[in-house]
Amino acid sequence: MKIEDIKNSIRTARTELEQARAAGIAMADDPTATTQALNDQMDKVTRLNSKLTLLTAQLEEMEQAQGAPKKLAQIADDDRVRDSAKAFRSSGDFFSAVARMRSRPDARLVEYASIQSAASGQNLTTDADGGYLVPPDYASELLKFAESASVIYPSVRHTPVSGNRLIENYLKQDTRGDTTSSLRGRSGVLAYWKGEAEQYTASSMKFGQIDTSLVKLTGLTYATDEMLEDLPALGSMIADGFRDEFAFKFDDAILNGTGTGMPKGVLASSNAALVTVAKEANQPAATINVANLLKMYNAFPAALRSNAVWYCNQDVETALMQLTMQTGTVASGGSEPVEGVSGTFGVPVYLPAGGLSGEPYARLLGRPLIPVEQCAALGSTGDLILMDPTAYRWIEKGGIKAQTSIHVRFDYDETAFKFSYRCNGYPLWQNAITAYKGSTSRSPYVALAARA
């Protein structure tokens, strides 16, 4: 039996099953129907249901068997591409081979390009631009280099996608209290104490949807023929340059992305979940005080504190090192010629790394403090952020796509290196939550407002 024949049989079985169920329901409502007739109708529904299940299973098996050769062929093609790439000692060796194609064609590169083109079913190299795709393993190395240099990016929630977008459902909620407003408290599932024989009170969940399409981060650089003649220098140049720039862009997007043509950062004006803690009355410009820190800490959900991380501009550290939390005062009387002594004492809220903190990072109110370039200048909104990095979603498709060209800058004795990475990101929380008791708004993204 062919796949199309099975599909036709499934359609017929579904129609018969629907008709049998409808007839059974009508028969059950008919007071003249006999018990035997009802049992016979139930048996018919059961047989048709079993037939439909068996046909569906048979169709799945045939479709899998039909697709298996294609999958095996794709795996074999991928293995051929990777095996041919092993002829190169390193990514630098591959890049150098591309550059030498002008004067001394490399047999390894010709073989690799031929296998890559055959495996993909299209021409990946053209004489017009001298383009060569970088082998998969070398391209993935570049992403690993970038990830190792990032500070925030490795800690966020990573989700691979197979298409060009991610559609994610979420439960709407704006308060932890018992409420029947449009945004339900505690995700809309509420429980009530009831006495014997009392009617249940219903509650319902309200859902929203986040539709995020992939965007593309790109990079283009050039290497001179002189650089390409020295393999160690070439490998270092490509790896270091790519790592630093892409790593910087990853972290900057997570904090400051606008959400238009790039990821949406936690500080974006469109992030309704961001809680901004205002400065204190008469607080001097470009300063940080203990009250700022305590209010930020209080605005962060207690249930997420084990994931909380402080991110700050490096200039903020100087201000933090001078802070102590006052715990008492001391005063002693005296008479001439001895004067009285008075003062205050307290405990530091900031613990430098490796010292009292006993950690590789400094500690602020017990949580790690990490300086990053992407935080705003001292005194500006976002110079100090308390955040749960796992409350940020980063979607990505595949790894780095890398390509080299020997002809784009041929008359400058330079080889072009082009990189692209499809990704996007957004805060998982869609709004801040009002506390169950009290009126404090809480969120996993808390920033200190400007002190100008």
Side-chain angles (χ1 to χ4, degrees):
M1 184 179 292
K2 299 179 180 180
I3 288 181
E4 191 58 38
D5 294 335
I6 295 179
K7 289 181 178 179
N8 291 332
S9 298
I10 289 176
R11 284 191 286 268
T12 301
R14 283 176 178 164
T15 300
E16 292 177 349
L17 180 59
E18 291 173 359
Q19 293 174 347
R21 283 174 174 165
I25 293 173
M27 191 176 296
D29 292 335
D30 185 358
T32 63
T34 64
T35 301
Q36 184 61 45
L38 284 170
N39 290 336
D40 291 343
Q41 191 64 26
M42 289 177 61
D43 290 342
K44 183 178 181 180
V45 170
T46 301
R47 287 196 304 272
L48 288 171
N49 197 33
S50 299
K51 179 181 179 180
L52 183 58
T53 300
L54 292 172
L55 286 170
T56 302
Q58 186 179 2
L59 177 62
E60 290 178 356
E61 291 177 0
M62 292 185 69
E63 287 180 337
Q64 290 176 0
Q66 190 178 64
K70 293 181 180 179
K71 292 182 180 179
L72 292 175
Q74 184 62 54
I75 293 173
D77 287 341
D78 291 343
D79 289 341
R80 288 172 60 214
V81 171
R82 292 182 182 276
D83 288 342
S84 64
K86 292 177 181 177
F88 302 98
R89 297 187 300 275
S90 64
S91 57
D93 188 19
F94 175 84
F95 297 146
S96 182
V98 173
R100 291 196 303 268
M101 285 298 290
R102 296 191 186 106
S103 56
R104 290 177 291 132
D106 192 312
R108 297 173 302 168
L109 187 59
V110 173
E111 175 69 10
Y112 172 77
S114 174
I115 292 175
Q116 176 73 69
S117 298
S120 65
Q122 60 184 351
N123 183 19
L124 298 176
T125 60
T126 61
D127 293 335
D129 59 13
Y132 295 87
L133 291 185
V134 177
D137 290 339
Y138 299 152
S140 63
E141 283 179 9
L142 299 176
L143 183 58
K144 291 178 182 177
F145 289 149
E147 181 174 349
S148 66
S150 297
V151 177
I152 308 174
Y153 169 77
S155 302
V156 301
R157 193 183 300 266
H158 291 260
T159 303
V161 297
S162 56
N164 64 353
R165 68 202 307 183
L166 175 68
I167 299 176
E168 183 174 16
N169 296 318
Y170 68 94
L171 293 172
K172 289 188 175 182
Q173 178 185 10
D174 66 356
T175 175
R176 286 289 296 165
D178 291 342
T179 177
T180 56
S181 65
S182 59
L183 299 184
R184 309 290 182 168
R186 296 196 297 281
S187 301
V189 181
L190 301 178
Y192 300 88
W193 296 104
K194 296 288 185 179
E196 184 178 357
E198 282 191 276
Q199 183 180 6
Y200 281 54
T201 301
S203 60
S204 61
M205 292 181 284
K206 192 174 184 66
F207 292 90
Q209 194 172 79
I210 307 172
D211 187 349
T212 307
S213 299
L214 293 171
V215 293
K216 185 165 61 175
L217 180 63
T218 63
L220 178 65
T221 189
Y222 301 96
T224 64
D225 284 358
E226 289 76 12
M227 290 179 177
L228 293 169
E229 290 174 359
D230 190 345
L231 291 182
L234 173 66
S236 176
M237 179 201 70
I238 296 295
D240 292 349
F242 176 87
R243 176 195 63 200
D244 293 343
E245 179 58 17
F246 271 55
F248 183 92
K249 291 294 187 182
F250 291 163
D251 287 350
D252 190 50
I254 292 170
L255 291 184
N256 303 307
T258 63
T260 302
M262 65 184 303
K264 182 166 80 173
V266 298
L267 296 176
S269 58
S270 58
N271 180 19
L274 176 65
V275 172
T276 304
V277 174
K279 68 177 183 178
E280 295 299 297
N282 302 318
Q283 181 174 347
T287 62
I288 295 177
N289 58 41
V290 174
N292 297 151
L293 304 180
L294 296 180
K295 288 182 179 180
M296 291 181 69
Y297 193 73
N298 183 50
F300 194 90
L304 303 180
R305 282 181 184 167
S306 61
N307 297 327
V309 179
W310 297 90
Y311 297 106
C312 71
N313 184 289
Q314 191 167 337
D315 292 338
V316 170
E317 287 185 300
T318 303
L320 295 176
M321 290 177 183
Q322 304 175 56
L323 292 182
T324 58
M325 187 182 302
Q326 182 177 330
T327 58
T329 61
V330 61
S332 62
S335 58
E336 296 294 341
V338 179
E339 296 182 357
V341 177
S342 63
T344 63
F345 58 90
V347 295
V349 295
Y350 171 85
L351 299 177
L356 294 175
S357 73
E359 300 284 346
Y361 295 113
R363 289 268 168 170
L364 184 61
L365 297 179
R367 298 309 306 159
L369 174 74
I370 306 177
V372 294
E373 291 182 84
Q374 295 81 359
C375 279
L378 178 61
S380 304
T381 301
D383 59 348
L384 180 63
I385 301 169
L386 182 59
M387 171 182 167
D388 176 3
T390 65
Y392 188 92
R393 172 89 69 194
W394 186 274
I395 65 173
E396 53 201 342
K397 183 174 183 179
I400 298 295
K401 303 300 181 184
Q403 192 171 11
T404 69
S405 175
I406 61 177
H407 291 162
V408 174
R409 300 271 293 183
F410 179 79
D411 52 343
Y412 289 89
D413 283 341
E414 291 180 344
T415 296
F417 299 89
K418 184 177 70 174
F419 308 96
S420 64
Y421 174 54
R422 299 185 67 192
C423 59
N424 210 333
Y426 53 90
L428 283 171
W429 281 40
Q430 297 303 296
N431 51 265
I433 304 297
T434 302
Y436 176 49
K437 301 292 186 181
S439 58
T440 302
S441 292
R442 294 196 167 97
S443 166
Y445 328 102
V446 183
L448 184 57
R451 286 88 59 217

